[in-house]
Amino acid sequence: MNKTNMTFIRGNESLPTDELFQSDNMIKVRFPVNAQSKARGIGSERMWVEVLSGTAKDGVGEINNVPAFSDFNLGDLISYELNEEDGVYYFGKLIKSKGGSSDVR
């Protein structure tokens, strides 16, 4: 797979530019991956989410990445929650798909 706009990072590491995006109402959220990605050994996908409402601990936002390893879509409305133990934001549920349907994953 040749993806020029993709970076793989380990664990909870971040990129030097992450702080720039976070100051613009963006957070990085960890999402579950689809079955094909799991079979390849990919455990999760981290994507940028624009915060629309909520607090520093949880809220609602819009996916601002084109997902590569999950079945989400650019523009999906999701809930997120901060895990205070590891300092990582995690996907909560799908509120509204860009396609118009909504469900809980």
Side-chain angles (χ1 to χ4, degrees), residues 22 25-29 49-61 78-84 88-90:
Q22 288 171 338
N25 213 33
M26 302 286 280
I27 59 171
K28 194 175 277 184
V29 177
V49 170
E50 180 179 3
V51 176
L52 302 176
S53 65
T55 68
K57 291 186 178 185
D58 59 15
V60 172
I78 59 105
S79 68
Y80 63 86
E81 186 174 320
L82 175 66
N83 179 326
E84 293 185 31
V88 174
Y89 288 99
Y90 287 89

Side-chain angles (χ1 to χ4, degrees), residues 17-46:
T17 56
D18 285 357
E19 290 181 18
L20 296 173
F21 286 98
Q22 288 171 338
S23 66
D24 288 336
N25 213 33
M26 302 286 280
I27 59 171
K28 194 175 277 184
V29 177
R30 187 170 288 174
F31 288 82
V33 296
N34 59 29
Q36 294 93 354
S37 298
K38 276 187 184 178
R40 293 177 48 210
I42 299 169
S44 64
E45 179 171 18
R46 294 169 77 183

